[in-house]
Amino acid sequence: MFTPERRSNALQASARADARCRRFMLPAPVCAVLLLLAAVPAQAQPRDDFGAEPAALEEVVVTARKREESLQDTPISVTAFSSSTLSDANMIDLRDIGKYTPGMSFTSYGMGSNEAGAIFLRGIGQSDHMVTTDPGVGLYIDGVYVGRNQGAALDLLDLERVEVLRGPQGTLFGKNTIGGAVNVVSRKPSGTSGGHVSLTAGQDGRLNASVSGEIPLGDQAGASVSLLSKQRDGVGEQIFKGTETGDEDSISGRAQLYWAGQAVDFSLAVDASRARQAAMPHSFYEQASWLGVAPCYQRSGDAFVPCPAGTESDPFDSYSLDDLDTAQDLFGLSATLAWDLSESLAFKSITAYRDMDYLGSLEFDGAPQRIVYYRETGASDQFSQEFQFSGPNGTNVDWIAGLYYFTEEGDNDQDNDQFGALGHRLTQVETKSYAVFGQTTIEFTEDIAITAGLRYTDESKDYDLVFRSLDSSGAQAFDDSGQPLYVVPPTVLDDTWGAVSGTVNLSYTLADGVMAYATYSRGFRSGGYAARPSALSSVGAYDPEYVNMIEVGLKTLVLDDRLRLNAAVYRNDYEDYQAQVNRVGNRFDTRVLNAAEAEIDGVEIEMTALLSTVFRIDATFAYTDARITKVDLHPSLEANFSGGHRLPYVSKYTFSLSPQLQFGLPSGASVLTRADYAYRDDFFGQIANSPFEREDGYGLINARVEYRTANRDWAVALYGINLADETYTRVRNYFPGFLGFAIWNTDRREVGVTIRYDFWGEISLARTQGYPSP
């Protein structure tokens, strides 16, 4: 039955929808949809099995446009994960968000390190960790840009939320966001005393421990500290050495001071992490007969011989005798000042320093004889300063303008052993980047708003390279005349680029809880230099690449706020695509050039449905068609790809389904049960699209059952990760006539239990409020 209030609201909504149809002379089918959506919230709702009126979905607040606003009011494609969602879905580190974000791939590939992160959104990203290249998806920690793939697989430590912004974000976030941006927002001190301790134990020696606490410092200030230790045995093995690969051994921490005044807020945050673990499990999967390399070996006395034909081997095992240990140290310090200068003007300053050092080990053959082996150290020191000025939020005109400065000094130091030829390559890059930006949103009516923004970036990079030949003792090699031998002699280059990026967006409220939008956005990724030149002719710079995106989307929150359904359709025109090419007839003389153009078409859908007060379903779907459309090279150069080739790491179809049941018991305790299924279609590890680089589609199943006591202080959870024990690879690389290899995922099945004790009352509203009872 309709109540008088609901009947009145329905009539008003229908009248508004009808008025829009007449005013804008919309086609009859569109008008019919508007009238239907306008009436939906007013319909009588069925009651759930327990007799309680269905609750509403919680409001999701994001900062995708550098100000706090509802997800449903933000006219761009955003996926947001709250701290409770990260926990309920058994997410261990930042890579796990890729399973539940439409059109996203978040994997590890960099010197065999489990701490590297290669992020791809809508077919755009970068897998290489070298300082000569930049990511295609920007990673931000509390507004601070992280310029390296190495270290991007962040621990999920004391976070408030994670936001994934899909599509070019070149206006407010700047360079290297042509695929999108990942914005990690940490939890600020609340001003109350308390904290939590947590212990997780599971298969393969899993032992994670975390502790977090905070104290008030007077009436306006607070401090918080969080620590996380992760331990797990390896899931792979170096057979002849008896050592494990794919283990976890890391510790991370974060401390924050926060002061909130009447007009000024200030926070000072420091974070650090340390990891000491072996490389990811990998194995050789194609026999290179001219090298005598086999996929499996056995010991015969003091010798190692290929296994008999047909012998099965574990793809997580390696027969290499090389050292495969890795190490990584991260440190970050940031200061944020927010000052309301007046009722119509606000100022914000973000000052940050980040430091990263790592050691990596990678070998390409998986054989006991050394064929191709790299030992690499690297470092990155970056400083950034951003000033923002913004106008009033909540009026019909909002604006933001700012200045940005970024500088980075980085290096990669490699000791190479290739077919017995020893070498040492040292690459150093210094980057300086300046930008000025502005964006304005004007609400012409209650229903129509236009946003326009522009950013100009000026960037310079200095490049120093030397590739020395070494003798058998590892010292500098000399020719017969006493002159030092080089693969590439000392080389110094510099280049400067200027780029304009921006956006135009129109949003239109079709009905209560229904908004449509259309966006044009342009972004760019910085130029760079050859990462691993093996000849002087390979050394050189390449220019920035650009993406022009057109997107049309719909955001809906209907059925009394119990159904959230967001969808987007887009096209990316990819210009000056940065790709590796070779000299004709010489596959070892490679460099990176702006060699191609590509088109990316996609559809993305996200849904959250609250079917009763205790049962909800989250689902995502994405279709991504990313292909090379044009190759433009000088006749002296050739590429290992052509028109029609799919871009790497891109699955045409991805989807996820997450049903969740959360209810209260008569005792006052509560129970949460959740299952997650995430599927991705086949993809290629490289742009050559060789059948050897193709990874078949796969699906992953996770589950969690959690019991929380009546006063919400104790919780015990049983979890399962990759319950079907699916075996799949992070990446496949194939070199025709040379070598083939695979780096295998370490995500084997894991079952364990987590115990948590909260000794404060307001750690999370979602955790402290009572749940409906049957």
Side-chain angles (χ1 to χ4, degrees):
M1 296 290 293
F2 281 1
T3 64
E5 180 181 1
R6 282 190 175 182
R7 186 183 301 275
S8 175
N9 291 340
L11 291 174
Q12 293 176 18
S14 297
R16 286 194 297 270
D18 183 64
R20 292 188 185 98
C21 288
R22 296 175 183 274
R23 187 194 325 165
F24 295 102
M25 295 180 291
L26 298 176
V30 176
C31 289
V33 172
L34 289 179
L35 290 170
L36 177 62
L37 290 172
V40 163
Q43 294 175 0
Q45 305 300 337
R47 305 174 73 85
D48 64 65
D49 295 339
F50 305 133
E53 187 73 17
L57 292 171
E58 71 283 357
E59 182 183 22
V60 179
V61 176
V62 296
T63 54
R65 297 197 292 179
K66 300 286 187 178
R67 64 176 186 264
E68 290 190 351
E69 56 187 343
S70 170
L71 173 68
Q72 297 306 105
D73 294 333
T74 307
I76 58 177
S77 296
V78 184
T79 299
F81 300 91
S82 66
S83 59
S84 59
T85 300
L86 296 172
S87 173
D88 295 343
N90 301 307
M91 299 192 199
I92 296 176
D93 58 45
L94 197 60
R95 287 170 302 189
D96 287 328
I97 67 174
K99 302 173 185 175
Y100 311 106
T101 302
M104 186 182 199
S105 172
F106 197 157
T107 184
S108 287
Y109 179 57
M111 285 311 297
S113 172
N114 209 31
E115 304 298 310
I119 311 175
F120 288 76
L121 273 170
R122 293 183 169 180
I124 301 173
Q126 173 60 258
S127 61
D128 204 338
H129 66 285
M130 295 284 285
V131 296
T132 55
T133 61
D134 288 307
V137 176
L139 173 61
Y140 295 81
I141 303 175
D142 292 330
V144 178
Y145 174 63
V146 179
R148 295 291 108 216
N149 279 355
Q150 191 72 32
L154 299 172
D155 288 331
L156 303 178
L157 176 65
D158 208 17
L159 300 183
E160 179 179 316
R161 66 183 181 275
V162 177
E163 304 169 1
V164 182
L165 288 60
R166 301 190 296 275
Q169 307 296 321
T171 304
L172 297 181
F173 289 87
K175 65 172 189 155
N176 304 335
T177 59
I178 55 174
V182 178
N183 187 28
V184 178
V185 182
S186 61
R187 186 184 64 83
K188 291 184 174 61
S190 65
T192 60
S193 297
H196 84 269
V197 292
S198 175
L199 185 67
T200 297
Q203 284 181 288
D204 296 314
R206 165 70 69 189
L207 186 62
N208 293 357
S210 69
V211 58
S212 178
E214 70 169 75
I215 58 172
L217 301 174
D219 295 333
Q220 296 177 301
S224 64
V225 176
S226 300
L227 294 172
L228 171 64
S229 171
K230 297 197 304 183
Q231 303 282 335
R232 189 189 66 178
D233 297 336
V235 294
E237 183 181 5
Q238 286 182 267
I239 297 297
F240 298 132
K241 293 190 68 174
T243 57
E244 296 179 340
T245 57
D247 61 321
E248 295 183 25
D249 184 359
S250 67
I251 185 169
S252 57
R254 181 178 180 84
Q256 188 173 186
L257 292 173
Y258 186 74
W259 182 81
Q262 186 173 0
V264 179
D265 292 349
F266 176 77
S267 67
L268 181 66
V270 59
D271 64 270
S273 68
R274 181 182 188 274
R276 299 291 186 272
Q277 51 205 26
M280 297 180 295
H282 68 286
S283 65
F284 187 68
Y285 68 90
E286 191 211 19
Q287 182 174 352
S289 57
W290 66 282
L291 287 171
V293 178
C296 172
Y297 288 86
Q298 295 177 351
R299 189 187 293 272
S300 176
D302 294 331
F304 303 101
V305 297
C307 300
T311 302
E312 293 187 2
S313 59
D314 191 330
F316 285 80
D317 290 340
S318 170
Y319 303 93
S320 169
L321 295 173
D322 297 318
D323 291 330
L324 298 179
D325 54 314
T326 72
Q328 179 178 276
D329 295 298
L330 299 177
F331 174 80
L333 178 67
S334 65
T336 303
L337 172 70
W339 186 4
D340 292 330
L341 299 175
S342 69
E343 293 183 358
S344 60
L345 182 62
F347 169 76
K348 189 173 187 179
S349 169
I350 305 175
T351 308
Y353 169 79
R354 296 198 66 82
D355 175 89
M356 182 269 294
D357 295 278
Y358 73 89
L359 163 69
S361 302
L362 186 65
E363 58 91 31
F364 286 67
D365 47 82
Q369 61 267 40
R370 177 172 288 184
I371 299 175
V372 179
Y373 175 68
Y374 290 90
R375 187 81 163 171
E376 177 181 298
T377 59
S380 169
D381 297 296
Q382 69 174 60
F383 172 82
S384 61
Q385 174 65 60
E386 182 168 357
F387 295 120
Q388 299 175 11
F389 295 89
S390 58
N393 191 5
T395 66
N396 64 333
V397 178
D398 290 328
W399 61 271
I400 183 172
L403 301 170
Y404 181 74
Y405 171 72
F406 173 87
T407 183
E408 179 189 27
E409 294 183 2
D411 66 78
N412 297 113
D413 197 334
Q414 295 179 329
D415 289 316
N416 304 336
D417 188 345
Q418 301 183 57
F419 310 107
L422 302 181
H424 172 252
R425 180 194 288 119
L426 175 61
T427 307
Q428 297 173 301
V429 177
E430 181 179 359
T431 301
K432 290 185 179 180
S433 183
Y434 305 84
V436 57
F437 62 91
Q439 181 167 295
T440 300
T441 299
I442 302 175
E443 296 182 0
F444 292 97
T445 70
E446 291 183 358
D447 302 325
I448 301 175
I450 292 181
T451 299
L454 205 63
R455 187 183 189 108
Y456 176 75
T457 303
D458 182 83
E459 182 163 288
S460 63
K461 290 187 177 183
D462 296 329
Y463 171 78
D464 290 78
L465 169 75
V466 60
F467 193 171
R468 301 184 298 130
S469 296
L470 305 180
D471 61 24
S472 58
S473 66
Q476 172 71 59
F478 295 90
D479 62 16
D480 294 339
S481 63
Q483 296 299 312
L485 292 174
Y486 296 101
V487 179
V488 180
T491 303
V492 177
L493 298 174
D494 64 84
D495 213 330
T496 301
W497 302 277
V500 176
S501 52
T503 188
V504 177
N505 173 277
L506 171 66
S507 63
Y508 176 43
T509 302
L510 300 173
D512 290 342
V514 182
M515 179 186 69
Y517 66 89
T519 301
Y520 165 79
S521 185
R522 178 176 173 86
F524 81 100
R525 184 156 71 107
S526 297
Y529 298 93
R532 301 171 185 84
S534 57
L536 186 58
S537 58
S538 302
V539 178
Y542 51 89
D543 292 327
E545 60 183 18
Y546 299 87
V547 168
N548 295 288
M549 180 199 75
I550 296 177
E551 177 180 323
V552 178
L554 186 70
K555 293 197 169 186
T556 64
L557 183 61
V558 295
L559 297 178
D560 284 348
D561 294 351
R562 295 190 298 114
L563 174 63
R564 182 165 54 233
L565 181 64
N566 298 337
V569 179
Y570 67 89
R571 161 163 283 192
N572 287 338
D573 287 326
Y574 207 161
E575 302 174 351
D576 298 324
Y577 180 77
Q578 299 166 358
Q580 181 173 289
V581 299
N582 304 326
R583 298 285 176 184
V584 172
N586 187 348
R587 64 178 179 268
F588 296 105
D589 189 4
T590 64
R591 63 178 299 183
V592 176
L593 292 175
N594 305 96
E597 297 179 4
E599 286 184 359
I600 307 172
D601 297 312
V603 178
E604 297 167 346
I605 301 174
E606 294 181 278
M607 182 202 74
T608 299
L610 190 60
L611 302 183
S612 77
T613 54
V614 298
F615 184 57
R616 65 180 282 172
I617 292 179
D618 294 275
T620 68
F621 169 82
Y623 166 82
T624 311
D625 185 16
R627 296 181 182 274
I628 295 293
T629 56
K630 181 180 179 181
V631 179
D632 186 11
L633 286 174
H634 189 274
S636 64
L637 300 171
E638 62 182 357
N640 63 348
F641 57 89
S642 59
H645 276 211
R646 292 167 56 182
L647 299 186
Y649 290 90
V650 184
S651 295
K652 182 170 286 190
Y653 298 99
T654 62
F655 69 88
S656 67
L657 185 65
S658 303
Q660 177 176 301
L661 182 66
Q662 186 170 305
F663 58 90
L665 300 176
S667 64
S670 61
V671 175
L672 176 146
T673 62
R674 176 180 173 121
D676 296 284
Y677 179 77
Y679 175 82
R680 67 176 303 179
D681 199 8
D682 68 285
F683 65 96
F684 290 96
Q686 297 291 317
I687 199 172
N689 286 193
S690 163
F692 295 103
E693 297 169 344
R694 180 180 177 273
E695 172 62 21
D696 292 334
Y698 58 86
L700 300 177
I701 302 174
N702 294 351
R704 185 181 184 90
V705 179
E706 180 180 291
Y707 171 85
R708 186 169 285 268
T709 58
N711 55 6
R712 314 296 182 227
D713 52 356
W714 283 97
V716 179
L718 177 67
Y719 71 89
I721 297 175
N722 191 11
L723 287 173
D725 203 18
E726 184 77 21
T727 299
Y728 59 99
T729 62
R730 295 178 190 258
V731 65
R732 292 176 184 256
N733 284 352
Y734 176 63
F735 302 89
F738 175 42
L739 285 175
F741 74 99
I743 295 184
W744 293 85
N745 196 298
T746 60
D747 189 9
R748 275 185 158 172
R749 177 169 51 212
E750 180 181 322
V751 176
V753 63
T754 296
I755 301 175
R756 173 171 171 144
Y757 175 64
D758 293 327
F759 51 93
W760 50 12
E762 299 180 1
I763 183 171
S764 170
L765 290 177
R767 294 299 192 190
T768 56
Q769 295 173 346
Y771 302 131
S773 301

